[in-house]
Amino acid sequence: MNAHCVQLGGEQLAPHCCPAMILSPFLVAVVVVFASAVTGCPVLCTCRSQVVDCSGLRLFSVPPDLPLDTRNLSLAHNRIATIPPGYLTCYSELRVLDLRNNSLVELPAGLFLASKRLSHLDLSYNNLTHVVADMFQEAYNLAHIDLSHNPWLRKVHPQAFRGLVQLRDLDLSYGGLSFLSLEVLEGLTGLVTLQIGGNPWVCGCTMEPLLKWLRNRIQRCMSDTELVECREPPEVEGAPLFSLTEESFKACHLTLTLDDYLFIAFVGFVVSIASVATNFLLGITANCCHRWSKASEDEEM
């Protein structure tokens, strides 16, 4: 410390003697504000070791401020219906996000743009209706996504999971899916387990490509194979999806030969002639009846 800044014999120091001492309260205030931004915990939530637990608090909205270094965030078992756009922008350290058992109908576009370290996402037991294209854009490290038990989930866009090459576990069980495009799954090169049971699958011709892919790629890793049943058409209602064979889709591959087309043309020609003849006979009959009726009236007069 500068000798001129030491108080001697009770002598008062000049204001310009100790600039460091004058600035130190300001620096302390800055440090305190920064520390509070990093470590401050939302009201009612519990925070410990970068884990923020706000589950089961009957929240209707997400807490506005979280510690900036949050890695594990649980908002499960609440009544959250919407998430503000950009809500996760400041939490680039986030690894685990638990939103299960809420009232979410949709997620805002670009929600995960800053979530490059996110690996585990649980959206089960919500009211999601569809999974849009690039919903998980930039969250390239996602390894587990749970979308199960969303009873109104009717549609998954073919590019919903585009770019998620690290995804290993995908749960789409117990929703309202009747069809799933093969394109949804083809880009998931790291996929190991897939659950799709409990959905009202329509096992028509459009199901065949998906069934072939499942058999070749992932059937051995599916833990709910016995739960994947057909809801329609009526002839296969209740049948396990994996019990269907190539014979089940035989009608989807019927092709017509030249003889078939000629036969159809001949039948059409015959039907047309028969129709013309029938109309001609009906016309003659109607005309005769009309003349007979008129003649009868003249005789009575």
Side-chain angles (χ1 to χ4, degrees):
M1 181 181 294
N2 192 320
H4 297 291
C5 291
V6 179
Q7 188 173 359
L8 298 174
E11 183 180 351
Q12 189 173 2
L13 297 177
H16 64 278
C17 288
C18 301
M21 295 181 66
I22 295 173
L23 290 175
S24 59
F26 173 75
L27 295 175
V28 170
V30 171
V31 171
V32 169
V33 170
F34 178 76
S36 63
V38 172
T39 61
C41 191
V43 178
L44 300 179
C45 302
T46 58
C47 304
R48 183 178 180 182
S49 302
Q50 298 178 298
V51 176
V52 180
D53 187 358
C54 302
S55 61
L57 300 178
R58 299 183 180 180
L59 300 177
F60 286 94
S61 60
V62 295
D65 297 304
L66 303 170
L68 296 180
D69 62 346
T70 300
R71 290 194 175 193
N72 188 324
L73 173 60
S74 178
L75 296 169
H77 310 297
N78 285 295
R79 302 173 183 177
I80 300 170
T82 60
I83 298 178
Y87 178 67
L88 300 176
T89 301
C90 297
Y91 312 116
S92 58
E93 295 296 320
L94 193 64
R95 265 74 165 177
V96 177
L97 178 59
D98 188 353
L99 286 163
R100 62 193 153 121
N101 197 20
N102 277 284
S103 302
L104 295 170
V105 176
E106 61 180 1
L107 299 180
L111 178 63
F112 303 105
L113 286 177
S115 304
K116 294 179 172 59
R117 293 183 173 87
L118 187 65
S119 63
H120 185 107
L121 176 62
D122 195 338
L123 291 164
S124 61
Y125 292 94
N126 276 280
N127 296 318
L128 296 173
T129 58
H130 58 283
V131 184
V132 300
D134 298 317
M135 176 181 281
F136 311 101
Q137 187 177 3
E138 300 298 330
Y140 296 133
N141 281 312
L142 272 171
H144 176 91
I145 297 178
D146 191 345
L147 287 161
S148 66
H149 295 89
N150 278 272
W152 309 114
L153 184 59
R154 301 280 194 270
K155 182 180 180 181
V156 178
H157 193 279
Q159 297 178 347
F161 306 111
R162 181 168 57 177
L164 302 186
V165 294
Q166 303 296 327
L167 190 63
R168 294 177 56 82
D169 308 310
L170 177 60
D171 194 341
L172 295 170
S173 61
Y174 295 100
L177 294 172
S178 59
F179 169 75
L180 188 66
S181 171
L182 180 57
E183 191 177 348
V184 172
L185 303 173
E186 279 185 318
L188 303 179
T189 55
L191 195 63
V192 174
T193 61
L194 173 68
Q195 298 185 59
I196 58 174
N199 285 286
W201 296 110
V202 175
C203 301
C205 295
T206 56
M207 176 60 75
E208 187 180 17
L210 178 62
L211 180 57
K212 285 183 176 180
W213 187 90
L214 292 173
R215 281 198 171 114
N216 294 333
R217 270 291 312 275
I218 209 165
Q219 181 183 3
R220 64 184 181 280
C221 300
M222 293 179 67
S223 59
D224 66 342
T225 305
E226 68 282 357
L227 300 176
V228 188
E229 295 183 351
C230 300
R231 181 72 58 85
E232 294 181 15
E235 55 267 24
V236 293
E237 182 179 0
L241 174 62
F242 288 98
S243 70
L244 302 183
T245 63
E246 291 185 4
E247 187 69 20
S248 306
F249 299 99
K250 185 177 180 180
C252 302
H253 303 287
L254 291 177
T255 57
L256 298 177
T257 64
L258 178 59
D259 291 340
D260 295 326
Y261 284 113
L262 291 174
F263 177 75
I264 292 172
F266 175 74
V267 170
F269 176 75
V270 171
V271 170
S272 299
I273 295 298
S275 176
V276 171
T278 302
N279 290 333
F280 178 74
L281 291 174
L282 288 174
I284 292 176
T285 303
N287 187 45
C288 291
C289 290
H290 177 70
R291 289 184 177 183
W292 179 81
S293 177
K294 188 176 181 180
S296 298
E297 291 176 358
D298 292 341
E299 288 178 0
E300 291 176 359
M301 292 176 63

